[in-house]
Amino acid sequence: MPNILRVELTSDQEREVRERLRTRDLAPGTRLRLECIRLMGRGLTVPEVADLLECNDVTVRGAVHRFTAGGFDALADAPRPGRPASVTREDREALAALLEASARQGRTWTTAALCDWLAAERGCGYRRPG
């Protein structure tokens, strides 16, 4: 008979799961694994969690094993290869603020103009498309 996986979370761990799930820029894979742990901590079985989250049982089991081996930090996505993004989170927030203010004024922007604004105002080395 296979082992039945269980996750028992302390109240501090339950709070940490909720806090981590509220993070805006959480990678989808990390969010899925955190949800697996949250639901398993509530006493659901692997098939029930997989059904609720519309994923495979293997995904749920993998999340549980990662959590058991390394805690919450082990649930994060592995680093992606390639050059790091040249536009930071702060740059994106400044861009969003600019676009919201422009929308209130009825102003529209082209992609090329936004790239120029990022380079001039934020110092980003973002290249214009085309």
Side-chain angles (χ1 to χ4, degrees):
M1 182 171 198
N3 287 340
I4 297 176
L5 288 179
R6 298 199 191 283
V7 174
E8 293 185 19
L9 299 175
T10 65
S11 59
D12 288 341
Q13 288 174 322
E14 288 176 1
R15 186 174 55 254
E16 186 171 352
V17 167
R18 287 191 305 272
E19 287 173 7
R20 286 178 181 247
L21 284 169
R22 281 191 211 108
T23 306
R24 281 186 128 188
D25 57 350
L26 193 61
T30 304
R31 182 175 301 281
L32 177 66
R33 288 185 287 276
L34 280 167
E35 285 289 358
C36 289
I37 299 306
R38 183 181 69 82
L39 293 171
M40 290 290 295
R42 293 191 147 197
L44 274 66
T45 64
V46 170
E48 290 171 336
V49 172
D51 184 50
L52 279 172
L53 297 178
E54 298 179 349
C55 65
N56 196 298
D57 290 7
V58 174
T59 304
V60 178
R61 290 180 189 282
V64 171
H65 291 301
R66 284 171 79 158
F67 178 72
T68 304
F72 289 111
D73 292 336
L75 299 176
D77 285 351
R80 300 287 182 221
R83 185 179 61 174
S86 60
V87 178
T88 66
R89 180 182 188 176
E90 291 79 18
D91 294 331
R92 289 191 306 271
E93 289 171 357
L95 187 60
L98 170 72
L99 291 173
E100 286 176 17
S102 295
R104 285 191 294 272
Q105 297 169 358
R107 180 175 180 192
T108 58
W109 290 79
T110 63
T111 304
L114 287 173
C115 290
D116 291 343
W117 182 86
L118 279 170
E121 297 295 323
R122 304 290 300 176
C124 295
Y126 200 74
R127 292 197 323 220
R128 293 172 63 163

